[in-house]
Amino acid sequence: MISARLHEETGDRHGAALTWDSLGYVRHGLGGQDRAADCYRRALALHRELGDRYDEAEVLDNLGDSLQAAGDLDAARRAWREALTVFDELRHPDADRPRLKLAVPTVPAASAGGGEP
């Protein structure tokens, strides 16, 4: 996090955004999904300020993965839909990543645990 703060202090918002994204990736890999999501949200805010649409979509896709791993499927799907929208606007082939994640059917919360058929 020192690197991200140094980037921010020196006005290198792009470097800070990339660093926060990397920190999110590391946190996600270590199983710290809430902290990963926080890092991704910081990266996302910076990428949006900078108008960096591709990296915005990348971070949204990563954020969705962390939210899914944390058990918040609705928020994950929202992040993936946003990522897909941006990738599609850019006509970028990476749109296939969130598109495939969104294609996986989900079980509504009301019926998860059983109940009447």
Side-chain angles (χ1 to χ4, degrees), residues 6-29:
L6 286 173
H7 284 297
E8 289 170 354
E9 288 172 10
T10 61
D12 182 5
R13 295 183 323 178
H14 187 253
L18 294 174
T19 300
W20 282 114
D21 181 39
S22 294
L23 287 169
Y25 181 82
V26 170
R27 298 276 189 198
H28 177 82

Side-chain angles (χ1 to χ4, degrees), residues 12-67:
D12 182 5
R13 295 183 323 178
H14 187 253
L18 294 174
T19 300
W20 282 114
D21 181 39
S22 294
L23 287 169
Y25 181 82
V26 170
R27 298 276 189 198
H28 177 82
L30 294 173
Q33 306 313 325
D34 291 335
R35 293 182 83 181
D38 289 341
C39 292
Y40 286 137
R41 287 183 185 106
R42 289 185 80 160
L44 180 61
L46 288 165
H47 285 306
R48 284 180 170 163
E49 285 176 24
L50 295 167
D52 187 345
R53 301 284 285 156
Y54 175 80
D55 284 332
E56 174 186 348
E58 279 279 306
V59 170
L60 283 162
D61 190 42
N62 293 338
L63 174 60
D65 294 346
S66 285
L67 292 168

Side-chain angles (χ1 to χ4, degrees), residues 55-94:
D55 284 332
E56 174 186 348
E58 279 279 306
V59 170
L60 283 162
D61 190 42
N62 293 338
L63 174 60
D65 294 346
S66 285
L67 292 168
Q68 178 191 37
D72 191 347
L73 188 56
D74 289 338
R77 294 181 68 77
R78 282 191 301 274
W80 291 329
R81 276 193 295 273
E82 284 187 65
L84 177 59
T85 297
V86 175
F87 281 136
D88 279 346
E89 288 171 2
L90 295 173
R91 292 182 165 78
H92 200 283
D94 284 350

